[in-house]
Amino acid sequence: MTRAGVERSLLHAVCILAALVAGCTAIPRATNEIESARAAYRAAAASSEVQARAPVELQVAQRALGDAERLHNADAEPAMVAHFAYLAEQRSRIALTTAQMRNAEAALAMGSERSRMQLEQSARERAQEPPAASGGSTR
Amino acid sequence: MRHHQGKACIDLSHLQRALAIALAVGLAACSSTPRPTEQVDAARAAVAQAASLAVGDGATELRVAQYKLARAEQEMERGDYTSAHVFAEQAQVDAQYAWTLAENARMQRAAADVNRNVRLLQDELDRRAK
């Protein structure tokens, strides 16, 4: 009788615990999506390249993350939180890639200028070459 | 009697359907999401812009954007403006990301080409200077 009673109360306890755990996990919150968006934004914001070359894009990403955070904190519909978190994550990636793109643009401009100067130097040197050097070979 | 009951059932299902439609229309009308024509147009423009560039890098992201744009158009026709709005916004940002990836790759290649030319020219200039 006492053993049966203990078993029964144990079973009750397990059931209550299971219900509690189920209750906790059943609340669908877009925590993963928010976390992922935060990480993407942190990566973009931490980059000095992004700060220098894509500040506007970074600001757009920051605003998008702010929207997602506000919805998340207001316990909005998880699907909507996930949507805004996704937008923030993509905006952060855009900021990072835009900075890389502008870096390459700057490298391209520098390289083009350098090559223009080289061609000028080459032309100057050719003009200064003594005529004998070019007259060495007859065509 | 039996016939009568059947008719009542049909009437009831008609009523239910009418109610369901009224509810759906009412919800669609009441929801804060109007017909997301602007968002779908913006997504379409972003996808078109990316499609002209993202053949290698960004091609995967572009395909995702194209799929979401198609879903946005479907949902808009079905009258689910909230879903259409969500799909359109995601399609737009995915397409913008695809374009950025493609343009970045293009710029990296161009910069690498120019730098290689600069090195070659410099080698030649150095050789001649000797």
Side-chain angles (χ1 to χ4, degrees):
Chain A
M1 160 67 194
T2 37
R3 217 183 129 180
V6 166
E7 272 175 11
R8 229 154 112 194
S9 56
L10 237 160
L11 195 71
H12 278 161
V14 167
C15 280
I16 288 166
L17 200 71
L20 274 176
V21 168
C24 283
T25 51
I27 301 167
R29 291 195 80 195
T31 314
N32 285 347
E33 287 85 349
I34 279 280
E35 265 309 319
S36 182
R38 278 184 199 140
Y41 176 74
R42 269 200 303 271
S47 155
S48 53
E49 198 176 276
V50 172
Q51 288 163 18
R53 298 214 185 267
V56 175
E57 286 77 6
L58 184 64
Q59 227 172 52
V60 171
Q62 188 186 26
R63 265 205 302 276
L65 184 62
D67 288 344
E69 297 275 14
R70 258 190 303 283
L71 282 172
H72 186 60
N73 293 336
D75 269 331
E77 203 188 318
M80 272 299 138
V81 177
H83 169 59
F84 277 87
Y86 182 80
L87 294 183
E89 186 167 344
Q90 292 299 76
R91 292 264 170 235
S92 302
R93 288 187 176 149
I94 288 172
L96 206 58
T97 313
T98 300
Q100 289 168 4
M101 178 188 86
R102 298 214 174 116
N103 241 6
E105 263 172 7
L108 177 66
M110 258 173 64
S112 302
E113 174 63 16
R114 179 101 191 271
S115 115
R116 195 185 59 78
M117 279 162 58
Q118 284 174 326
L119 289 173
E120 273 178 18
Q121 187 191 344
S122 174
R124 258 198 321 275
E125 284 175 7
R126 275 182 202 283
Q128 283 169 3
E129 271 173 13
S134 56
S137 64
T138 45
R139 281 178 213 185
Chain B
M1 183 68 192
R2 227 172 165 179
H3 178 76
H4 217 80
Q5 256 182 353
K7 206 173 173 211
C9 272
I10 288 166
D11 281 349
L12 196 67
S13 76
H14 270 292
L15 191 71
Q16 276 175 341
R17 258 182 63 185
L19 268 174
I21 290 167
L23 193 71
V25 170
L27 275 179
C30 284
S31 77
S32 56
T33 315
R35 195 176 159 82
T37 319
E38 243 174 74
Q39 282 76 18
V40 173
D41 284 349
R44 223 176 263 136
V47 165
Q49 197 189 4
S52 65
L53 196 65
V55 282
D57 288 75
T60 310
E61 288 73 10
L62 174 65
R63 272 198 297 278
V64 173
Q66 284 166 332
Y67 167 76
K68 286 177 181 172
L69 173 61
R71 286 295 309 269
E73 284 165 344
Q74 279 169 20
E75 297 298 336
M76 188 138 98
E77 260 182 47
R78 274 182 357 124
D80 187 344
Y81 294 160
T82 305
S83 290
H85 193 267
V86 163
F87 276 117
E89 276 187 342
Q90 291 199 7
Q92 188 191 0
V93 85
D94 287 343
Q96 283 173 355
Y97 184 42
W99 182 88
T100 313
L101 282 171
E103 182 65 7
N104 178 36
R106 201 175 68 90
M107 280 296 148
Q108 299 287 349
R109 277 194 300 271
D113 281 353
V114 164
N115 282 331
R116 199 175 46 243
N117 279 342
V118 163
R119 267 198 310 278
L120 289 173
L121 255 166
Q122 195 57 51
D123 285 351
E124 206 189 311
L125 287 170
D126 290 348
R127 246 198 324 275
R128 263 198 272 159
K130 274 175 195 167

